[in-house]
Amino acid sequence: MSRQTSKPRNNKKNSKIKIKTSRFGELTVKKDTLIHFPEGIYGFEYAKEYILLEHYKEGSPFKWLQAVKEPNLAFVIINPVDFIPDYTMQLTEEDCKFIQLKDSGDFALMTIVTIPGDEPQKLTANFKAPLIVNVSSRIGRQIILEDEKYLIKQPLFFEEIVPAKK
Amino acid sequence: MLILSRRVGESIIIGDNIEITIVDIKGNQIKLGIKAPSEIRVHRYEIYQKIQEENKLAAESSIQPELLDKVVIKKQKK
């Protein structure tokens, strides 16, 4: 007499997937940590799933948004509020609906950083078109703000690296 | 390209659920009102293009992680 098999384990939520990346090697991440951009990001409409990676250096303001299926595609991102403490934006009703944000829900805000290859010190961030991500549904969208005061290429404040004095 | 003539207050409909109304005309500037479902994004074309270009630039220029450490950010002071 065989015992009834236990109900199938629901592995889906905690299942892990492997991601190939050109910068960070092969990563194994939990599937429920992925962030979904159903429309992609402007100019990269084909890449719809991303994973958020901490920059390894402690205290760094940077994070990485790595595309799951495109090893080469990763954006450097920051939290705009770290740089402009009074950064404000109005979410439209359509945007809230799209990322399934309810009145009391939390959303994460990030902006993409552009770093000129020849002059990395002249980095800018796109405060005009932040990414919003619903923290619980993990659905995101890049929005374009009407506000004229935020720039597509807003310089990030920096100081030159001066070699340590002997 | 389909070309339609409309007066202020009149609309056109695209598909079943995108409605564009001529709200106002002043000189060579036209104000449009747009009703569309939430999955349809509506933007001024030149801004949309600029954002696409900036994202591409950001992706191309996203330097190797270790180079990021050489960038020292000074927080903005009020």
Side-chain angles (χ1 to χ4, degrees):
Chain A
M1 196 178 80
S2 64
R3 273 181 58 190
Q4 210 177 351
T5 49
S6 58
K7 62 177 178 184
R9 265 182 295 170
N10 185 4
N11 284 329
K12 271 195 179 156
K13 261 200 168 167
N14 297 316
S15 66
K16 291 180 176 177
I17 57 162
K18 283 195 168 138
I19 299 175
K20 287 199 175 109
T21 76
S22 60
R23 294 172 185 80
F24 313 103
E26 193 177 82
L27 306 170
T28 305
V29 300
K30 279 188 182 167
K31 234 178 168 175
D32 59 4
T33 62
L34 301 187
I35 301 172
H36 305 268
F37 289 88
E39 308 152 315
I41 288 172
Y42 287 110
F44 298 92
E45 285 75 9
Y46 54 88
K48 300 187 190 299
E49 287 179 324
Y50 288 84
I51 183 88
L52 194 60
L53 302 170
E54 296 283 334
H55 188 55
Y56 56 86
K57 196 183 173 192
E58 212 178 312
S60 170
F62 302 113
K63 287 185 182 170
W64 292 84
L65 197 62
Q66 167 72 50
V68 169
K69 287 174 186 152
E70 307 287 333
N72 264 320
L73 181 58
F75 296 99
V76 176
I77 58 150
I78 50 161
N79 178 352
V81 181
D82 284 348
F83 293 89
I84 303 180
D86 57 356
Y87 185 74
T88 47
M89 43 166 295
Q90 200 76 46
L91 282 189
T92 66
E93 211 177 296
E94 283 78 20
D95 292 330
C96 293
K97 209 168 146 190
F98 187 83
I99 63 168
Q100 298 172 9
L101 191 71
K102 306 216 171 78
D103 290 342
S104 55
D106 287 334
F107 68 93
L109 194 56
M110 30 191 153
T111 45
I112 297 178
V113 177
T114 303
I115 305 160
D118 46 347
E119 286 178 293
Q121 291 295 345
K122 292 195 172 162
L123 74 175
T124 57
N126 186 350
F127 286 85
K128 177 84 174 165
L131 308 173
I132 52 167
V133 177
N134 179 338
V135 180
S136 56
S137 72
R138 305 193 76 79
I139 296 173
R141 177 180 235 190
Q142 184 171 29
I143 62 171
I144 302 177
L145 303 179
E146 285 293 316
D147 202 326
E148 301 270 324
K149 72 179 172 199
Y150 298 126
L151 306 177
I152 295 175
K153 279 183 186 290
Q154 192 134 346
L156 292 184
F157 286 79
F158 66 91
E159 52 195 18
E160 287 293 343
I161 296 175
V162 188
K165 282 178 191 161
K166 283 177 191 169
Chain B
M1 189 188 278
L2 171 70
I3 297 172
L4 302 168
S5 293
R6 302 275 63 197
R7 293 174 200 280
V8 172
E10 292 182 336
S11 306
I12 63 163
I13 184 137
I14 301 174
D16 296 323
N17 47 20
I18 301 171
E19 198 183 309
I20 300 173
T21 306
I22 313 298
V23 176
D24 193 19
I25 303 175
K26 267 194 194 123
N28 62 357
Q29 207 175 35
I30 298 175
K31 258 191 194 158
L32 300 173
I34 299 147
K35 258 194 228 169
S38 64
E39 68 274 13
I40 304 285
R41 297 186 284 188
V42 181
H43 297 299
R44 291 178 180 85
Y45 188 68
E46 65 279 8
I47 304 236
Y48 165 83
Q49 264 183 324
K50 273 189 196 158
I51 302 291
Q52 272 192 335
E53 280 162 23
E54 190 61 23
N55 284 346
K56 283 181 185 165
L57 211 57
E60 280 163 23
S61 76
S62 63
I63 48 177
Q64 289 302 316
E66 55 278 10
L67 279 175
L68 264 188
D69 297 338
K70 299 195 174 139
V71 177
V72 180
I73 306 281
K74 186 161 70 180
K75 291 211 176 171
Q76 192 176 13
K77 279 179 190 148
K78 280 195 174 176

